[in-house]
Amino acid sequence: MGKKINPEEYVGQEFVNKIGERYKVLKYLFKEKLNYCFDIEFMGTGNLQMATLNQIRNNTCFDLLERKKLKRIKTELQLRERTRLVNKAKNTCVIPNNLRYKNVLSIDLSTTSTGIAYSKNGTIVRWKTIKSDYIDFRERGLEIVKQLVEILEKGMIDVVILEDVYLGLNSDVLTKLSEVRGMLTYHIKKLNLDLLLVPAVLWKHRIEGVPTHRQEQKEFMMKKFFEYTEVEADSDDSADAYMMLRACLGG
């Protein structure tokens, strides 16, 4: 038979969790089923919370309030940084206010899967995803660009909107994407089409409620795409191209 637990023995004792946070057991509260519950105070922050005896014994009492505070601060810093980038982008990119009167193709370019959306006189009428199964990124890029050029050569497009390369990408992705973009911009200029390079942070700023994290942004754009079109996007690339075009058209 095990030793009977006296929860009052833990009151007043200090402990350290697995990440070095020190806390003190202030008082015993109650027993819930087979576990004992206590009030504890983290000595570094003064934050109070409830903990179980199992958590105390396993050193898994973590300062949840401090974590929430740090997460909130991180989010605020990210929002400030996004605002700074938006203001900076406004100084380098001006989205024309006459796109509603033109035929526009927006391209969310990548080296594996590229989304496009097409508007005619301010109304988005088509969108799709262009993919390539080649292993080599240059082969993929050539195939994607070839299909894009076939669309451009039909003579139905006045302006091409291309998401500007984000310099925060890792160097390998940035190099590959820049090379593929160079393939495409050569043909755009050769066909004498207007090219608008729009930073992602600028067009996304025009859409209300866009999250700060990249994966959450993708999910958000997919949901907004469905909201506007009432169909499921065939990829997050085409959803991004659609939403970028919609943002540039003024919503």
Side-chain angles (χ1 to χ4, degrees):
M1 186 174 179
K3 180 182 176 182
K4 186 176 180 180
I5 296 173
N6 179 8
E8 294 294 343
E9 292 180 354
Y10 290 87
V11 177
Q13 292 192 47
E14 296 180 5
F15 299 88
V16 181
N17 64 22
K18 291 182 178 180
I19 60 173
E21 294 174 327
R22 297 183 64 85
Y23 60 91
K24 183 178 181 179
V25 179
L26 297 181
K27 65 179 179 179
Y28 167 62
L29 297 174
F30 54 84
K31 183 179 180 181
E32 182 179 7
K33 295 182 180 179
L34 299 178
N35 217 337
Y36 298 86
C37 299
F38 301 83
D39 263 345
I40 64 172
E41 179 182 15
F42 286 90
M43 302 174 71
T45 62
N47 291 331
L48 303 176
Q49 69 186 51
M50 190 177 74
T52 66
L53 182 56
N54 285 341
Q55 289 174 320
I56 293 172
R57 285 175 166 176
N58 295 325
N59 300 322
T60 56
C61 297
F62 300 112
D63 194 339
L64 301 180
L65 289 176
E66 188 65 13
R67 274 168 172 66
K68 290 179 180 178
K69 177 183 175 182
L70 292 175
K71 184 178 180 180
R72 185 174 66 252
I73 292 173
K74 182 179 179 181
T75 300
E76 289 175 355
L77 290 174
Q78 288 174 333
L79 290 173
R80 288 181 187 177
E81 176 64 9
R82 186 162 73 178
T83 300
R84 185 187 70 81
L85 291 173
V86 168
N87 292 332
K88 182 179 179 181
K90 286 179 178 178
N91 294 328
T92 59
C93 174
V94 177
I95 299 175
N97 55 14
N98 64 344
L99 292 178
R100 285 183 169 273
Y101 308 105
K102 295 179 178 289
N103 297 332
V104 184
L105 182 72
S106 70
I107 304 173
D108 182 35
L109 186 67
S110 83
T111 61
T112 54
S113 173
T114 292
I116 63 173
Y118 171 72
S119 69
K120 185 175 182 179
N121 295 324
T123 302
I124 303 176
V125 294
R126 294 176 192 163
W127 52 83
K128 73 172 186 176
T129 303
I130 300 173
K131 295 184 178 181
S132 174
D133 295 324
Y134 283 106
I135 296 175
D136 181 75
F137 86 92
R138 289 189 180 90
E139 294 289 342
R140 292 197 305 268
L142 282 170
E143 184 176 24
I144 290 172
V145 169
K146 180 181 178 182
Q147 293 187 53
L148 290 171
V149 171
E150 289 175 357
I151 295 172
L152 297 175
E153 287 180 337
K154 292 180 180 179
M156 300 172 61
I157 295 165
D158 305 311
V159 181
V160 176
I161 298 176
L162 195 59
E163 185 176 89
D164 205 356
V165 175
Y166 173 52
L167 297 179
L169 297 172
N170 70 61
S171 58
D172 182 59
V173 174
L174 182 60
T175 300
K176 290 178 179 178
L177 187 56
S178 297
E179 189 168 332
V180 174
R181 191 178 79 170
M183 300 177 192
L184 177 60
T185 53
Y186 166 78
H187 291 283
I188 293 173
K189 289 301 181 183
K190 186 178 179 181
L191 292 168
N192 199 30
L193 298 173
D194 289 336
L195 173 62
L196 178 62
L197 292 175
V198 182
V201 69
L202 183 57
W203 72 260
K204 289 177 181 178
H205 184 68
R206 290 186 161 205
I207 301 171
E208 186 177 353
V210 177
T212 56
H213 298 290
R214 183 173 175 80
Q215 186 56 42
E216 292 176 354
Q217 286 182 2
K218 287 182 176 293
E219 295 170 359
F220 176 86
M221 295 303 174
M222 293 284 281
K223 290 178 181 177
K224 296 299 286 186
F225 176 90
F226 181 79
E227 178 183 322
Y228 291 129
T229 66
E230 298 184 347
V231 297
E232 296 285 350
D234 59 352
S235 72
D236 55 45
D237 302 293
S238 62
D240 271 2
Y242 177 95
M243 293 303 296
M244 176 167 62
L245 180 53
R246 185 180 178 89
C248 291
L249 290 172

